[in-house]
Amino acid sequence: MKPEILVASPMPAPTMRSLDENFILHKLYEAADQAAFLAGIKDRVRAIATSGGRGASAALMDAVPKTEIIANFGVGYDAVDVPAAKARNIPVTNTPDVLTDDVADLALTLLLDAARMVSRADRFVRAGHWLKGNHPLGQAVAGKKLGIVGLGRIGAAIATRAEAFKLQVSWHGPRPKPDAKWPHVPDLVALARDVDFLCVICPLTPQTFHLISREVIEALGPEGTLINVARGPVVDEAALVDALKSGKLGHAALDVFEDEPKVPEELFSMENTVLLPHQGSATLETRTAMGQLVVDNLVAHFAGKPLLTRVA
């Protein structure tokens, strides 16, 4: 018999096909009464496949107490209650590396969009405003300074791409990295004050919640641009909205928000924002590769082999 697993959230079609080939699937996201659904399968489910947005709470683990592994679709696993998983001896996996290039590409896309006003200019043309006059000037990118908050795999990939655009790169993190080629700035406010663009790509943890505070945002200043391709709660969103409204921050290019998919409506009418619906890894190739890592981790577990990308 195939192992039975709980699929907590929908995944790309190739992933679902591969899961179906290897396991008996119980799709929690399709259940009208999820509590009753879980009660009916509680002693049969041996794994949870979930997404970075849905995660897995302690209550969900308790609802399917035979769970042996949680496979997370996404590099970020902050929605998984890792302490609860550890307390129950449940390993957790994620999907790193395969999305590095796409997220880094999108970060540079957001930077360029904000600087050269690409989305804004597109709206300008579509609205027929070009017939009445020219579009405002944007900012040059070459020679400007980029600060990166978090120099993991993706942060380093962003830095490498930024150099190709002749940006001067520095970064902030909790500790220096001896092998990093870019200067480390231990004071985040000082970094924000010194750069033209600040790109956030650190994980969401209790320590990084609202790390991009009002002080950091205002240090970036009226000519600065904040780019967030990490997690929404890393940025104090209320402070960000206030700074954009008051002119204390120049621009924001955001792929993530504090209460997704809800976005502060005040941002909708602001021409100094670029807003995306969490598209960092959203390519067919990358989402397929992420899904395959979910499957491969589950298959490895049930075959008694080492997990490919265990994080807890």
Side-chain angles (χ1 to χ4, degrees), residues 46-76:
R46 297 175 60 194
I48 299 172
T50 190
S51 66
R54 173 64 170 82
S57 64
L60 182 60
M61 297 176 210
D62 288 340
V64 281
K66 306 287 187 180
T67 297
E68 301 169 18
I69 179 175
I70 298 171
N72 183 72
F73 180 93
V75 66

Side-chain angles (χ1 to χ4, degrees), residues 79-103:
V80 176
D81 190 333
V82 172
K86 287 182 176 179
R88 293 160 177 76
N89 295 314
I90 302 172
V92 178
T93 65
N94 70 340
T95 60
D97 298 321
V98 293
L99 48 65
T100 297
D101 285 332
D102 276 348
V103 177

